[in-house]
Amino acid sequence: MTIETNSPEETFALGQKLGEQAKAGQIYTLNGDLGVGKTVFTQGIARGLGITEAVSSPTFTIVNEYTGTLPLYHFDVYRIGDPEEMDEIGYEDYFYGRGICLIEWAELIEELIPEGAISITIEKDLEKGFDYRKITVE
Ligand code: ADP
Ligand code: MG
């Protein structure tokens, strides 16, 4: 499924819809270049899960945890040097638990991503405008 958005609000709204529909244990992988809207999308998912707390990219930690209708585990693995760092944080408890996992830069830890994860890719196309984003969900 491919969705095109033309504003951060639209990307947020798409995330919110997915968050409202999210099933316990669902994993979403989020790929796309820096500044493409991965965090905006995540903020939408969080809202869809009833989380009112501010959600920002985990900067000094690999994962941020939030409590909503389901727990939300927001990973940003951009700074991971070695997938073994994921062992150190006990990633399996998150990936195989009942909370919702959202993993920015998941391609960097591809071998750890369980089957059944929903892949979300966000791309720009500057020919279609500065705020245009193509979002592929599969
Ligand atoms: P990432 O987490 O992928 O690095 P962010 O979500 O932090 O990116 O930032 C995306 C930036 O792009 C924000 O400043 C946002 O306002 C802007 N933006 C412009 N158009 C869109 C759009 N259609 N969808 C999402 N973000 C957009
Ligand atoms: Mg981000």
Side-chain angles (χ1 to χ4, degrees), residues 106-127:
E107 62 197 15
L108 298 178
I109 55 159
E110 207 171 1
E111 60 267 47
L112 303 182
I113 305 297
E115 270 184 50
I118 295 176
S119 144
I120 295 161
T121 305
I122 311 180
E123 295 162 286
K124 291 187 185 181
D125 182 347
L126 289 176
E127 283 182 10

Side-chain angles (χ1 to χ4, degrees), residues 3-138:
I3 299 106
E4 297 174 301
T5 70
N6 287 289
S7 68
E9 292 76 20
E10 280 179 58
T11 298
F12 182 96
L14 175 66
Q16 183 170 359
K17 203 171 84 187
L18 285 187
E20 285 164 1
Q21 297 167 354
K23 303 254 175 358
Q26 185 64 58
I27 296 178
Y28 298 92
T29 64
L30 260 178
N31 289 301
D33 294 337
L34 212 61
V36 84
K38 298 182 295 299
T39 297
V40 169
F41 184 87
T42 302
Q43 288 164 341
I45 293 233
R47 179 69 57 82
L49 290 168
I51 293 161
T52 49
E53 205 180 323
V55 172
S56 57
S57 258
T59 307
F60 302 106
T61 52
I62 293 172
V63 59
N64 281 344
E65 306 187 21
Y66 303 92
T67 307
T69 49
L70 289 166
L72 173 65
Y73 305 124
H74 179 202
F75 291 78
D76 187 333
V77 300
Y78 184 67
R79 282 169 203 80
I80 277 196
D82 187 315
E84 273 182 23
E85 287 174 43
M86 292 296 287
D87 290 331
E88 287 160 24
I89 63 158
Y91 79 93
E92 286 178 313
D93 291 343
Y94 297 105
F95 285 13
Y96 298 97
R98 61 182 293 279
I100 305 299
C101 288
L102 234 148
I103 310 163
E104 297 195 37
W105 293 98
E107 62 197 15
L108 298 178
I109 55 159
E110 207 171 1
E111 60 267 47
L112 303 182
I113 305 297
E115 270 184 50
I118 295 176
S119 144
I120 295 161
T121 305
I122 311 180
E123 295 162 286
K124 291 187 185 181
D125 182 347
L126 289 176
E127 283 182 10
K128 297 192 174 170
F130 191 65
D131 291 345
Y132 171 89
R133 302 291 190 270
K134 186 173 101 181
I135 305 175
T136 308
V137 181
E138 53 198 6

